[in-house]
């Protein structure tokens, strides 16, 4: 594994700005082109005004980039929080959308205070307590919910109000009664996204697909004259339909004020005494923090300079950003993986790229609000349907299945739990399932939350980490803390002869630790894995001790 040249690592702060402003400015501009339509779409899908998502991304860029502990992540609203925020608006508003919006802002403010405290008390590491399959199940369920709700917007049809199952059940009715002009815009957007995902040409890939979807959408909206209400005329039986079903007009375009200053709204804290309010607070805080931490760790793996995010500092910074955002009418933000990946691919070197993306959004929304108003809702819905599909694609199911049947079982249980109940309950059902599986596999009760290990210096250059009992997701934190403190450049030997069970989360942690430690000039060896049998073919699948093989037991 190649070591990183320390002299080549980009500087930070003002020195980093002076050194890398060209690459960061270009990447910030390209990310802005992706972020603008996604901010609008996520905001409206969350039950917030369109401008709320832009407010969030501006704060995420201009403020959070100056405070956070990461280097190339982009902060802004995320599809993963749509379900939580929309649920808060509907539950707290009880049918009044504006009241629900202002109550949800209050929940965001309180949730952000919790995030700040979590960061200050170094709770960033708690993300490892959530098993990978449960987190992927939660995200897949969110993807299914987003697709179920947004497909109706793509087709230009408003479904009857009801449960999520009812919304899914109404999809065939919406397809049969689609609004043809709107559906053409939505279908064109989906087609562009699918085609663009298959293109390999690096020059074409530089053009963000969401930008093309929006530009084509604006062109079609102009062709269909959506600025003026009219009946669509090219279907022979259009005049037989009820008037509201056969008309198109400005209601299918983004509604945004010409004056950006009028986009600010303030939270209403009058429901702080209700159970629904605190459910919203916990959901926003937990899901937002978890997603942000996981995204930051994922982006670290993409960083060519192998820099590591300070997760606690990052969580605090995102909390501060959410506090400001909630106080003036914005959505909660996270370190967002799609925009962050694009940022790395565009050649960003420092957090100034995040700053520039926020500045470009601010300039655009102040100078060109009329252009935003010409974007059709169906084009934004197409972006969200595609995002939802990526979260819940067959490829995701295949990946989890490759890790073993028990991982697939937890994944599906979490999806069903989230869809049948709500996000928090579904996640806790998934975690409870994982505990049951571990108990059935023989993990002792006193081993569920306590790991047995010793770290000892063998020679000047060798450190022995001896682990016994079970090493699983719920007891790995003390081991992680001990390994973080190890001196760089040593040979770390993991002795696993007495470890009777290693779950997937721990195997994944070992893999990541080895990658990072060896990338900084050290070396890792694992002794005793040859005495374990895996539950699946995947190299990071859970494994248990084979007593017949291990002569030491």
């Amino acid at each position: 594994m190649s070591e990183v040249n320390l002299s080549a690592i980009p500087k930070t702060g003002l020195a980093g700005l002076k050194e890398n402003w060209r690459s960061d400015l270009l990447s910030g501009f390209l990310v802005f082109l992706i972020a603008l339509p996604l901010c609008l779409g996520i905001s409206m899908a969350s039950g917030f005004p369109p401008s709320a998502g832009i407010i969030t991304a501006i704060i995420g860029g201009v403020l959070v980039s100056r405070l956070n502990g990461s280097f190339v992540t982009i902060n802004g609203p995320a599809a993963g929080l749509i379900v939580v925020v929309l649920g808060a608006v509907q539950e707290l508003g009880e049918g009044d959308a504006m009241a629900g919006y202002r109550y949800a802002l209050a929940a965001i403010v309180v949730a952000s205070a919790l995030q700040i405290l979590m960061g200050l008390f170094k709770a960033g590491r708690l993300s490892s307590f959530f098993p990978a399959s449960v987190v992927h199940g939660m995200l897949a369920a969110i993807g299914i919910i987003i697709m179920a709700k947004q497909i109706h917007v793509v087709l230009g049809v408003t479904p009857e109000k009801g449960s999520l199952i009812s919304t899914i059940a109404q999809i065939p009715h919406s397809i049969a009664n689609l609004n043809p002009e709107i559906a053409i815009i939505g279908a064109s957007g989906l087609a562009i996204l699918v085609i663009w995902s298959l293109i390999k040409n690096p020059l074409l890939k530089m053009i963000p697909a969401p930008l093309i979807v929006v530009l084509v959408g604006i062109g079609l909206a102009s062709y269909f004259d959506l600025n003026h209400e009219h009946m669509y005329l090219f279907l022979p039986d259009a005049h037989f339909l009820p008037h509201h079903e056969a008309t198109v007009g400005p209601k299918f375009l983004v509604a945004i004020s010409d004056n950006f200053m009028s986009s600010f709204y303030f939270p209403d804290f009058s429901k702080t005494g209700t159970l629904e309010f605190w459910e919203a607070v916990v959901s926003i805080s937990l899901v937002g923090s978890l997603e942000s931490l996981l995204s930051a760790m994922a982006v670290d793996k993409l960083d060519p300079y192998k820099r590591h995010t300070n997760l606690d500092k990052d969580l605090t910074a995102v909390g501060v950003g959410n506090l400001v955002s909630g106080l003036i009418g914005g959505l909660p933000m996270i370190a967002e993986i799609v925009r962050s990946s694009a940022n790395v691919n565009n050649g960003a070197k420092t957090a100034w790229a995040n700053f520039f993306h926020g500045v470009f959004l601010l300039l655009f929304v102040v100078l060109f609000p009329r252009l935003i108003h010409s974007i059709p809702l169906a084009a934004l819905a197409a972006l969200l349907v595609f995002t939802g599909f990526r979260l819940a694609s067959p490829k995701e199911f295949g990946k989890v299945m490759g890790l073993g049947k028990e991982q697939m079982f937890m994944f599906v249980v979490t999806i069903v739990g989230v869809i049948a109940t709500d996000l928090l309950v579904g996640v806790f059902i998934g975690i409870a399932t994982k505990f049951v599986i571990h108990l059935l596999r023989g993990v002792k009760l006193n081993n569920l939350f306590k790991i047995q290990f010793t770290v000892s210096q063998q020679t000047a250059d060798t450190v022995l980490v001896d682990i016994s009992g079970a090493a699983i997701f719920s007891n790995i934190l003390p081991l992680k803390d001990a390994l973080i403190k190890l001196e760089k450049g040593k040979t770390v030997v993991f002795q696993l002869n007495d470890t009777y069970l290693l779950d997937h989360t721990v195997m994944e942690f070992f893999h990541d630790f080895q990658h990072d430690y060896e990338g900084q000039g050290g070396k890792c060896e694992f002794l005793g894995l040859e005495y374990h049998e895996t539950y699946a073919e995947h190299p990071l699948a859970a494994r248990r001790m084979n007593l017949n093989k291990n002569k030491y037991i």
Side-chain angles (χ1 to χ4, degrees):
M1 177 127 4
S2 61
E3 293 182 33
V4 181
N5 179 3
L6 293 175
S7 63
I9 293 175
K11 297 183 179 77
T12 56
L14 291 174
L17 175 64
K18 186 178 176 183
E19 180 186 75
N20 304 295
W21 70 268
R22 287 179 185 83
S23 56
D24 286 345
L25 185 71
L26 174 61
S27 183
F29 178 71
L30 293 172
V31 171
F32 145 72
L33 295 176
I34 299 171
L36 177 66
L38 286 172
C39 288
L40 293 168
I42 290 166
S43 196
M44 288 183 287
S46 302
F48 274 36
S51 54
I54 297 175
I55 289 170
T56 307
I58 291 169
I59 294 167
V62 175
L63 174 65
V64 177
S65 71
R66 302 299 85 227
L67 304 172
N68 64 4
S70 56
F71 300 92
V72 284
T73 57
I74 299 291
N75 297 98
L81 282 166
I82 289 174
V83 176
V84 176
V85 177
L86 180 62
V89 172
Q90 292 174 339
E91 282 279 315
L92 297 171
E94 298 177 25
D96 185 335
M98 179 50 72
Y101 166 45
R102 294 188 60 217
Y103 292 137
L105 289 177
I108 291 167
V109 170
V110 178
S112 64
L114 287 180
Q115 281 185 313
I116 293 168
L117 288 172
M118 285 165 69
L120 292 174
F121 286 103
K122 305 199 179 301
R125 62 205 184 110
L126 290 178
S127 57
S128 58
F129 187 79
F130 293 84
S133 295
V134 172
V135 173
H136 291 148
M138 175 189 82
L139 294 174
I142 287 169
I144 291 166
I145 295 167
I146 291 169
M147 284 191 287
K149 289 178 180 290
Q150 292 301 310
I151 196 72
H152 300 283
V153 184
V154 167
L155 298 169
V157 180
T158 305
E160 297 288 328
K161 285 189 176 177
S163 66
L164 176 64
I165 305 300
S166 161
T167 306
I168 295 171
Q170 289 179 67
I171 291 174
H173 177 268
S174 292
I175 293 170
N177 297 280
L178 57 80
N179 187 319
E181 292 183 3
I182 303 304
I184 287 170
I185 295 171
S188 301
L190 282 172
I192 290 164
L193 290 166
V194 171
I195 292 165
W196 222 249
S197 69
L198 300 173
I199 287 175
K200 304 288 184 222
N201 186 302
L203 283 175
L204 281 176
K205 279 285 192 187
M206 284 287 284
I207 307 169
L211 176 65
I212 302 167
V213 170
V214 165
L215 291 177
V216 169
I218 290 172
L220 288 170
S222 175
Y223 177 75
F224 291 134
D225 192 23
L226 293 193
N227 268 315
H228 301 96
E229 188 164 313
H230 60 277
M231 292 184 70
Y232 54 77
L233 302 173
F234 60 86
L235 284 188
D237 58 350
H239 59 279
F240 292 120
L241 291 170
H243 180 71
H244 69 279
E245 287 187 17
T247 60
V248 287
K251 68 178 180 181
F252 290 102
L253 298 173
V254 174
I256 194 164
S257 169
D258 286 352
N259 177 12
F260 183 57
M261 295 306 290
S262 67
S263 303
F264 298 130
Y265 289 88
F266 305 106
D268 181 343
F269 290 93
S270 60
K271 284 213 169 182
T272 49
T274 65
L275 179 62
E276 292 82 8
F277 180 85
W278 288 100
E279 279 179 11
V281 167
V282 173
S283 298
I284 293 166
S285 178
L286 180 65
V287 177
S289 302
L290 185 57
E291 268 206 86
S292 200
L293 292 167
L294 293 171
S295 296
M297 289 190 287
V299 175
D300 282 351
K301 293 177 185 177
L302 302 175
D303 184 356
Y305 300 101
K306 295 183 170 64
R307 292 169 291 188
H308 286 282
T309 296
N310 179 331
L311 294 178
D312 298 314
K313 188 179 178 186
D314 211 52
L315 189 57
T316 306
V318 168
V320 170
N322 284 336
L323 184 67
V324 177
S325 183
L327 286 171
I328 61 173
L331 283 161
M333 72 185 72
I334 67 165
E336 206 280 329
I337 185 68
V338 175
R339 277 156 264 167
S340 300
S341 302
N343 194 38
V344 174
N345 294 335
N346 294 334
K349 301 279 174 47
T350 74
W352 287 105
N354 189 10
F355 177 85
F356 286 130
H357 122 275
V359 171
F360 281 122
L361 278 166
L362 177 60
L363 291 173
F364 190 87
V365 80
V366 169
L367 299 175
F368 307 110
R370 298 305 301 165
L371 193 55
I372 295 175
H373 175 62
S374 63
I375 300 172
L377 300 178
L380 301 177
L383 292 175
L384 292 177
V385 168
F386 191 71
T387 301
F389 178 76
R390 281 199 304 201
L391 289 172
S393 69
K395 194 189 288 184
E396 287 299 316
F397 282 78
K399 263 193 223 170
V400 177
M401 188 64 199
L403 293 168
K405 289 176 184 173
E406 90 285 353
Q407 299 294 323
M408 188 65 178
F409 181 66
M410 280 188 301
F411 180 72
V412 172
V413 163
T414 306
I415 292 174
V416 173
V418 169
I419 291 173
T421 56
D422 65 27
L423 211 90
L424 280 183
V425 175
V427 167
F428 286 121
I429 288 171
I431 292 172
T433 304
K434 176 86 165 177
F435 278 126
V436 170
I437 289 170
H438 280 328
L439 291 171
L440 291 174
R441 284 180 172 171
V443 176
K444 299 175 182 71
L445 279 172
N446 64 350
N447 213 177
L448 278 178
F449 300 101
K450 189 174 181 183
I451 189 169
Q452 295 156 357
F453 72 94
T454 57
V455 178
S456 55
Q457 190 88 27
Q458 297 297 292
T459 67
D461 294 318
T462 307
V463 177
L464 178 69
V465 180
D466 193 341
I467 305 170
S468 58
I472 57 177
F473 80 100
S474 53
N475 67 17
I476 190 69
L477 283 180
L479 177 63
K480 276 190 171 185
D481 289 344
L483 294 180
I484 286 169
K485 294 170 187 167
L486 289 180
E487 196 179 334
K488 305 293 180 233
K490 306 289 184 184
T491 297
V492 181
V493 180
F494 290 88
Q495 183 65 262
L496 303 168
N497 287 57
D498 295 327
T499 316
Y500 64 81
L501 185 74
L502 295 156
D503 75 358
H504 164 61
T505 303
V506 171
M507 291 303 300
E508 198 169 54
F509 165 66
F510 283 159
H511 175 265
D512 292 343
F513 177 80
Q514 180 179 16
H515 175 270
D516 295 340
Y517 196 76
E518 292 185 352
Q520 295 170 337
K523 189 182 174 189
C524 292
E525 293 177 10
F526 294 89
L527 306 180
L529 282 180
E530 65 272 23
Y531 302 124
H532 290 77
E533 287 181 344
T534 60
Y535 285 98
E537 295 297 316
H538 196 281
L540 301 183
R543 52 191 67 210
R544 65 182 170 193
M545 178 66 69
N546 183 333
L547 298 181
N548 296 325
K549 276 188 183 180
N550 192 349
K551 62 185 178 182
Y552 294 102
I553 292 182

